[in-house]
């Protein structure tokens, strides 16, 4: 058994001398088994001896340093500006489940690199000097990459053999896409490297990041639509003049009003404060509509008479589109000011003066057509007069006519006051929370042999990392996470210093005692 | 920090523990620091992979994470200081040169050792004590033909950061700038008072989130003893719901540990109440 122990001049830093390094080749890989514990301390020699032995064994194991053959180590370099580790010699077996390629090079995410450093597989350099494990922890872990607690969970699962990847909410198919059974083309998305000064984006893959990525969840789409309708109403009421409005991306259009900017350019909106790093590649399933401004050809603002061609990556296949002259289209749009009669003008004024806007009414919005709207008005009318429909519209009858046959199940349903619900009800309307986020996708160890990073398949579970110091997830958090996760169970990894406990919530149906 | 290289374990208490901050958590990296902390009765929790067998979770290796109470205790005893951060001693040309020299020297020494190793293997193969001509010839041939490839060199992947932190000058850094990260709320004050008191009585404490409490209390070093108590810390004027008391009492009896409700009292001591599950009388 070799240890790098005192006395030695370098032992403060625990540096092994070359002879120790050489001898470490034949180091044992077994861990001593821990014996039975005692119940109560007495002052016996026996106990003291056992304690000393346990402590010595403990220090001996803890003091050991990692010693590896140089040829077995993959060399890598830490790039702090991108918070990424770039491999400089070919990757080993770990490449099957970790890392990603971009720009013709191989990269590792910081947590993956740190884990591989701890396993003694990778040696990471920074400024030509090797980083210690301590350097790795202090440089790689932060709230911008992966926190210490998240790394603890990551390491714990990796050591057990699971495949663990960062969770990217935007690359999860929406429930609608899943319903349609759309084929999922998923590269193992990597996080986008900072743009160099090149004007045309040639990056081949989007990189994983749960901080910098601007994604569009269903909830966001809904809220954008709501905002659009509000905007519509706040404009002047003349429908003939109103055209399909551009989505609410005021910041984009204002910064886009700069000369030369065209709607399909998805460059950094350097002027805006929002971080919208996004380069859609053809085949990507998500466009960031907040950074793709659509032209409002019909607006009365001055507009160039020509639209430059759209960016090829936004177009399907080999389609090429040239410059578009919109002058003829503008002529076809009726841009004449409408002259209103005095009565019409007065009506306009009254409408504007009235605060209450029918379109802001939630129940009105739920009406899908005029018939439903009339029904709603009628209902309200009756309620206002204290006449609920089931009492006033027809003869009052018992909830169920005893002469009519009905199954027990249906009857129970009729008399039930509280209807049962399921976890995902209302979940799509919840807005995301800073506090509760899914961190990782976890794939089972026995899938490792066939695992493909480009098509990992469905994860076994998704991890949300929290601690006993923080709050217990409430129903809102559980709904939100279950919705984000789709049909994969969400597991809460609760970190308590060195210890991790895993909890999951399962949907449960109360059994109904019904005999048909 | 060591005063002299030939230090033994029976140390005077003027050792200062160097604490590194990672994502605002206090971590101990150097073996000496772990030993010092243990000697002060502070157990902490190991977080890293064990170098000998990294792919298991039964036994972990450095770094050691300190409880906030442990960190505070070290600070109060003036037994801890902050290690310089990662960017403070980023290598200049001097360190790079040193590194390359060290690597070269190590390679040469290992080559020599490898050759010796091969020779003694040859010798033991030939078995007999007698050194015959053939053997000598082979050994000599080995001297000429043997080459130790760079890839066979053994390299250390250091756990703790070496370098400036071990210079005497850096000791001054240690005490000076301690980041103040105290949480001034009554609950954490209560926890700290209880921790101090129990530690002062010779108990060892670790965290007890899984057990529904604040600390697990051991009568001796956790390496050798089981925990006897689950300590739940409350301020004197905090009211606790009876259902919570029942829940923690039930939990305690399930894991065969006694639950202690602990509250610091104004005179500086701590008041302890143990819960015992008894039937209806």
């Amino acid at each position: 058994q070799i240890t790098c122990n005192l006395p030695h001049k370098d032992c403060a830093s625990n540096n092994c001398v070359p002879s120790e390094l050489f001898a470490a080749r034949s180091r044992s890989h077994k861990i001593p088994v821990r014996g039975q514990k005692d119940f109560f301390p007495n002052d016996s020699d026996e106990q003291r001896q056992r304690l000393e032995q346990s402590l010595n064994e403990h220090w001996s194991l803890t003091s050991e340093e990692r010693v590896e053959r140089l040829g077995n180590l993959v060399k890598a370099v830490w790039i702090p500006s991108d918070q990424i580790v770039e491999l400089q010699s070919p990757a080993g077996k770990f490449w099957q489940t970790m890392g990603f390629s971009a720009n013709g090079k191989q990269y590792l995410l910081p947590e993956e690199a740190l884990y591989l450093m701890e396993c003694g597989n990778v040696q990471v350099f920074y400024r030509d000097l090797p980083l210690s494990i301590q350097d790795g922890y202090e440089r790689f872990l932060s709230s911008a990459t992966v926190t210490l607690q998240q790394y603890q969970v990551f390491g714990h699962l990796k050591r057990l053999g699971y495949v663990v990847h960062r969770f990217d909410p935007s690359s999860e198919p929406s429930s609608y896409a899943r319903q349609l059974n759309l084929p999922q083309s998923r590269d193992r998305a990597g996080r986008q490297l900072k743009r160099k000064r090149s004007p045309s984006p040639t990056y081949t893959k989007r990189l994983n990041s749960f901080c910098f990525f601007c994604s569009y969840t269903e909830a966001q789409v809904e809220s954008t639509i709501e905002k659009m309708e509000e905007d519509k109403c706040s404009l002047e009421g003349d429908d003939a003049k109103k055209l399909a409005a551009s989505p609410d991306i005021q910041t984009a259009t204002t910064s886009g009003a700069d000369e030369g900017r065209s709607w399909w350019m998805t460059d950094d909106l350097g002027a805006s404060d929002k971080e919208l790093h996004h380069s859609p590649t053809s085949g990507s399933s998500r466009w960031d509509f907040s950074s793709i401004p659509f032209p409002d050809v019909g607006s009365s603002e001055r507009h160039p008479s020509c639209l430059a061609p759209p960016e090829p990556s936004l177009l399907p296949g080999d389609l090429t589109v040239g410059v578009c002259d919109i002058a003829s289209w503008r002529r076809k749009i009726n841009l004449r000011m409408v002259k209103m009669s005095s009565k019409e003008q007065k009506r306009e004024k009254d409408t504007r003066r009235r605060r209450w806007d029918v379109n802001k009414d939630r129940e009105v919005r739920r009406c899908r057509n005029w018939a439903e709207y009339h029904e709603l008005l009628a209902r309200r009318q009756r309620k206002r007069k204290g006449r609920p429909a089931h009492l006033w519209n027809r003869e009052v009858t018992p909830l169920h006519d005893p002469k009519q046959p009905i199954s027990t199940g249906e009857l129970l349903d009729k008399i039930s006051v509280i209807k049962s619900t399921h976890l995902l009800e209302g979940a799509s309307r919840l807005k995301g929370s800073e506090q509760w986020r899914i961190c990782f996708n976890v794939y089972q160890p026995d899938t490792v042999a066939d695992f493909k990073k480009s098509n990992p398949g469905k994860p076994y579970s998704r991890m949300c990392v929290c601690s006993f110091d923080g709050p217990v997830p409430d129903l809102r958090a559980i709904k939100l996470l279950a919705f984000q996760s789709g049909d994969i169970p969400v597991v809460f990894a609760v970190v308590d210093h060195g210890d991790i406990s895993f909890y999951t919530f399962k949907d449960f149906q109360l059994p109904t005692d019904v005999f048909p | 920090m060591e005063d002299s290289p030939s230090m033994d374990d029976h140390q005077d208490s003027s050792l200062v523990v160097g604490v590194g901050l990672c994502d605002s958590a206090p971590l101990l990296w150097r073996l000496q620091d772990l030993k010092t902390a243990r000697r002060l009765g502070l157990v902490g929790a190991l977080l890293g992979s064990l170098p000998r067998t990294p792919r298991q979770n039964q036994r972990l290796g450095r770094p050691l994470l300190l409880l906030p109470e442990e960190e505070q205790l070290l600070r109060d005893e003036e037994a801890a200081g902050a290690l310089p951060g990662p960017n403070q001693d980023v290598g200049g040309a001097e360190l790079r040169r040193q590194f390359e020299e060290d690597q070269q020297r190590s390679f040469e020494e290992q080559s020599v050792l490898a050759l010796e190793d091969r020779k003694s293997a040859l010798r033991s193969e030939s078995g007999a004590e007698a050194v015959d001509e053939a053997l000598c010839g082979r050994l000599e041939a080995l001297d000429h033909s043997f080459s130790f490839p760079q890839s066979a060199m053994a390299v250390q992947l250091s756990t703790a950061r070496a370098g400036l932190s071990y210079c005497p000058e850096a000791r001054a850094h240690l005490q000076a700038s301690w980041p103040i990260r105290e949480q001034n709320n009554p609950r954490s004050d209560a926890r700290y008072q209880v921790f101090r008191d129990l530690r002062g009585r010779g108990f060892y404490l670790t965290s007890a989130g899984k057990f529904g409490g604040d600390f697990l209390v051991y009568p001796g070093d956790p390496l050798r003893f089981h925990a006897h108590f689950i300590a739940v810390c409350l301020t004197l004027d905090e009211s606790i719901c009876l259902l919570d008391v029942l829940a923690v009492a039930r939990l305690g009896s399930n894991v065969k540990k006694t639950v202690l409700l602990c509250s610091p009292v104004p005179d500086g001591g701590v008041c302890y109440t143990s819960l015992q599950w008894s039937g209806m009388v």
Side-chain angles (χ1 to χ4, degrees), chain B:
Chain B
M1 245 170 64
E2 298 80 350
D3 282 306
S4 65
S6 60
M7 181 133 257
D8 59 12
D9 278 354
H10 311 298
Q11 240 346 280
D12 59 284
S13 50
S14 62
L15 273 181
V16 171
V17 167
V19 180
L21 274 187
C22 167
D23 192 19
S24 21
L27 298 180
L28 299 189
W29 290 96
R30 309 180 301 182
L31 187 72
Q32 275 312 306
D33 292 333
L34 269 78
K35 284 185 171 173
T36 310
R38 196 69 173 224
R39 226 172 288 127
L40 293 170
L42 306 179
V43 179
L46 290 170
L47 300 187
S49 304
L50 189 70
R52 176 181 280 219
T53 38
R55 287 181 171 87
Q56 46 81 32
N57 285 312
Q58 268 62 55
R59 283 188 112 138
L60 297 179
R62 285 173 282 154
L64 186 82
L65 173 66
L66 295 175
L67 286 172
E69 292 75 29
E70 291 172 329
E71 187 197 350
Q72 174 128 24
L73 192 69
L74 285 175
R75 224 183 317 150
D76 287 352
E77 311 273 294
E78 293 185 357
L83 285 174
N87 283 312
Q88 271 160 279
D89 41 75
V90 150
E94 169 64 27
L95 274 177
R96 269 193 288 277
R97 201 183 49 77
Q98 182 77 48
F99 170 66
E100 263 148 49
E101 263 178 37
D102 286 343
Q103 289 293 94
Q104 185 57 31
R105 195 165 38 84
S106 179
F107 177 68
E108 282 158 12
E109 276 188 48
Q110 286 187 44
S111 306
V112 167
L113 287 168
L115 177 57
E116 259 319 301
D117 199 51
R118 190 77 85 79
K119 281 186 180 170
S120 54
L122 265 183
R123 282 192 206 103
S124 59
E125 258 174 37
S126 69
E129 276 304 322
V131 180
D132 60 356
E133 288 239 358
L135 183 61
C136 279
R138 282 216 295 271
L139 288 174
E140 224 180 283
L142 202 54
D143 266 324
H144 295 299
S145 66
F146 181 76
S147 75
F148 186 62
Q150 186 87 9
S151 62
M153 179 171 89
V155 159
Q156 175 180 344
L157 303 163
S158 299
T159 312
R161 183 164 56 239
L164 294 177
S165 26
Y166 299 93
C167 299
E169 297 79 53
R171 200 196 299 211
H173 292 297
L174 279 188
Q175 302 269 15
S177 57
W178 187 263
I180 311 293
R181 297 171 307 108
E182 293 168 22
Q183 308 173 302
N184 290 325
N185 63 60
R187 181 57 85 90
S188 56
D189 277 343
R191 278 178 59 119
Y192 182 60
Q193 293 308 318
V194 173
F195 183 90
R196 269 199 94 118
D197 192 73
L198 287 173
R199 177 80 284 282
R201 292 165 190 259
F203 291 101
Y204 286 68
L205 297 111
T206 60
S207 72
K210 262 205 309 211
F211 292 88
D214 288 295
F215 302 112
L216 275 181
V217 186
Y218 298 79
D221 195 304
L223 277 177
R224 285 266 83 230
F225 301 99
H226 291 292
H228 285 180
F229 305 109
I230 302 172
V232 177
C233 304
L234 304 158
T235 58
L236 268 186
D237 45 16
E238 197 176 333
S239 61
I240 179 170
C241 166
L242 185 62
L243 287 177
D244 292 340
V245 177
L246 283 174
V248 76
R250 177 66 91 171
L251 212 160
S253 73
N254 277 355
V255 296
K256 298 196 197 49
K257 299 189 200 303
T258 307
V259 176
L260 284 182
L261 302 180
C262 319
S263 300
V265 291
D267 70 3
V270 178
C271 169
Y272 298 98
T273 312
S274 66
L275 299 181
Q276 182 184 30
W277 197 276
S278 69
M280 293 272 282
V281 179

Side-chain angles (χ1 to χ4, degrees), chain A residues 1 5-9 12-16 18-19 21-22 25 27-32 34-41 47 50-51 54-55 57-59 61-71 73 115-123 125-130 132-135 137-139 141-143 147-149 152 155-156 159-160 468 496-499 501, chain B residues 2 5-7 9 20-23 25 27 29-32 34-35 38 45-63 65-68 83-87 90-92 95-96 99 105-106 109-110 113-114 117 148 150-163 166 207-210 218-226 228:
Chain A
Q1 196 189 37
N5 261 332
L6 301 160
H8 187 264
K9 115 168 129 59
S13 56
N14 238 345
N15 273 343
C16 300
S19 55
L21 291 178
F22 187 74
R25 296 175 312 165
R27 210 195 266 174
S28 158
H29 283 279
K30 290 213 291 253
I31 326 177
R34 277 202 259 241
Q36 278 256 318
K37 290 193 186 180
D38 294 321
F39 180 71
F40 199 82
Q47 269 193 3
R50 279 203 286 255
L51 174 60
S54 292
L55 273 176
E57 183 187 276
H58 181 75
W59 296 132
L61 276 179
T62 317
S63 67
E64 267 181 15
E65 290 286 323
R66 291 161 181 88
V67 177
E68 296 290 332
R69 248 181 113 252
L70 193 58
L73 285 174
Y115 171 72
L116 289 170
M117 281 167 71
E118 290 203 89
C119 287
N121 294 130
V122 168
Q123 191 179 28
F125 285 80
Y126 178 57
R127 298 199 193 172
D128 298 321
L129 284 172
S132 61
I133 307 293
Q134 179 178 359
D135 286 316
Y137 269 74
E138 291 177 2
R139 290 175 191 276
L141 303 181
S142 73
S143 42
T147 66
L148 178 62
Q149 283 186 348
Q152 278 179 260
H156 181 95
R159 285 190 284 267
L160 291 174
F468 282 118
D496 174 34
H497 283 80
D499 199 61
S501 314
Chain B
E2 298 80 350
S6 60
M7 181 133 257
D9 278 354
L21 274 187
C22 167
D23 192 19
L27 298 180
W29 290 96
R30 309 180 301 182
L31 187 72
Q32 275 312 306
L34 269 78
K35 284 185 171 173
R38 196 69 173 224
L46 290 170
L47 300 187
S49 304
L50 189 70
R52 176 181 280 219
T53 38
R55 287 181 171 87
Q56 46 81 32
N57 285 312
Q58 268 62 55
R59 283 188 112 138
L60 297 179
R62 285 173 282 154
L65 173 66
L66 295 175
L67 286 172
L83 285 174
N87 283 312
V90 150
L95 274 177
R96 269 193 288 277
F99 170 66
R105 195 165 38 84
S106 179
E109 276 188 48
Q110 286 187 44
L113 287 168
D117 199 51
F148 186 62
Q150 186 87 9
S151 62
M153 179 171 89
V155 159
Q156 175 180 344
L157 303 163
S158 299
T159 312
R161 183 164 56 239
Y166 299 93
S207 72
K210 262 205 309 211
Y218 298 79
D221 195 304
L223 277 177
R224 285 266 83 230
F225 301 99
H226 291 292
H228 285 180

